[in-house]
Amino acid sequence: MAEERQESPGEADAWAELVDTARRTVTDGLVVGTSGNVSVRVGDTVLVTPSGVPYDRLTPDDVTGVDLEGRQVLGTLVPTSELPMHLAVYRHTDARAIVHTHAVHATAVSTLVPELPPIHYMTGALGGPVRVAPYATYGTDELAENMLHALADRSACLLQNHGTLTYGATLTQAYDRTAQLEWMCHLWLTARSVPGLTPNILTERQVAEAGERLRGYGQRG
């Protein structure tokens, strides 16, 4: 049962941003229907998309939140079935937001290789070559454990025959990392499909150098 408490103003703002981000995953073709899920941490509360509810039907009154042990503290809608993955990331990393999708190119790559080859320097923005977590049934602790191993020193991973998971300091950062990962997977699949040619792959040093430069990328203020 949910605790009888009202959301804080910060939680209300975070929920609105979460819903916008979830809707964007559909608009940008990263998920179909109600697949995938999004969460954001506000203090010790994790706001998360509810299970099986189309994102365009979510309203401010549908806020769904749990504590770090998975106990529901806000709302009455059942949280996403992938809650174990989200909570595992929050318990073991400094993540403040998570995006999980079933993006088609990334999911295709997850069926082919144990990690996405470093086809582009944006690999450095994710901590290095993106690993594939071995397959496990969705919503299980086994999947969460496999995911954590794949995420070691990374901010993104692929889930074998399933999809993607990325995290960041904000929902915007987590989403951008998801979009970059899907783009790199599309790029690699496109390059490797050319008959008789093999894509050039960046070296570990090249990826590391790009990662260092990307940490200072953008406006300062």
Side-chain angles (χ1 to χ4, degrees):
M1 295 292 290
E3 284 185 13
E4 292 296 327
R5 81 165 175 87
Q6 294 294 313
E7 63 188 329
S8 69
E11 289 169 340
D13 290 344
W15 177 253
E17 187 180 2
L18 179 150
V19 171
D20 286 345
T21 302
R23 289 173 177 167
R24 189 177 175 191
T25 64
V26 177
T27 301
D28 291 353
L30 299 176
V31 302
V32 176
T34 60
S35 64
N37 30 77
V38 178
S39 70
V40 61
R41 180 175 176 176
V42 182
D44 289 332
T45 299
V46 175
L47 306 181
V48 63
T49 46
S51 179
V53 180
Y55 299 143
D56 60 359
R57 296 183 189 175
L58 291 175
T59 72
D61 294 332
D62 293 325
V63 61
T64 305
V66 301
D67 64 19
L68 292 173
E69 300 304 316
R71 292 181 291 263
Q72 191 154 1
V73 296
L74 284 171
T76 58
L77 294 176
V78 176
T80 173
S81 58
E82 297 289 12
L83 188 60
M85 275 204 307
H86 289 258
L87 294 180
V89 174
Y90 289 122
R91 290 178 191 140
H92 292 90
T93 75
D94 60 356
R96 307 303 293 185
I98 297 169
V99 176
H100 164 52
T101 79
H102 293 177
V104 64
H105 298 99
T107 305
V109 169
S110 80
T111 71
L112 297 171
V113 289
E115 72 175 24
L116 173 64
I119 188 74
H120 192 270
Y121 68 78
M122 285 302 293
T123 300
L126 303 177
V130 177
R131 306 182 190 99
V132 178
Y135 181 81
T137 304
Y138 78 92
T140 62
D141 291 336
E142 181 184 4
L143 177 58
E145 183 175 350
N146 292 350
M147 172 213 63
L148 281 179
H149 287 300
L151 275 180
D153 302 316
R154 303 286 188 270
S155 57
C157 72
L158 299 174
L159 307 171
Q160 192 174 60
N161 295 83
H162 185 157
T164 70
L165 186 137
T166 63
Y167 72 83
T170 65
L171 279 165
T172 296
Q173 186 179 58
Y175 184 87
D176 287 347
R177 286 172 171 171
T178 298
Q180 288 287 353
L181 176 55
E182 169 65 357
W183 180 83
M184 286 193 293
C185 287
H186 192 180
L187 174 64
W188 182 71
L189 289 170
T190 301
R192 74 188 292 271
S193 69
V194 179
L197 296 176
T198 301
N200 181 67
I201 299 301
L202 299 179
T203 66
E204 184 176 345
R205 179 178 178 180
Q206 289 171 327
V207 171
E209 288 175 346
E212 285 295 323
R213 290 182 65 87
L214 287 165
R215 272 191 273 276
Y217 177 79
Q219 300 297 315
R220 297 165 178 80

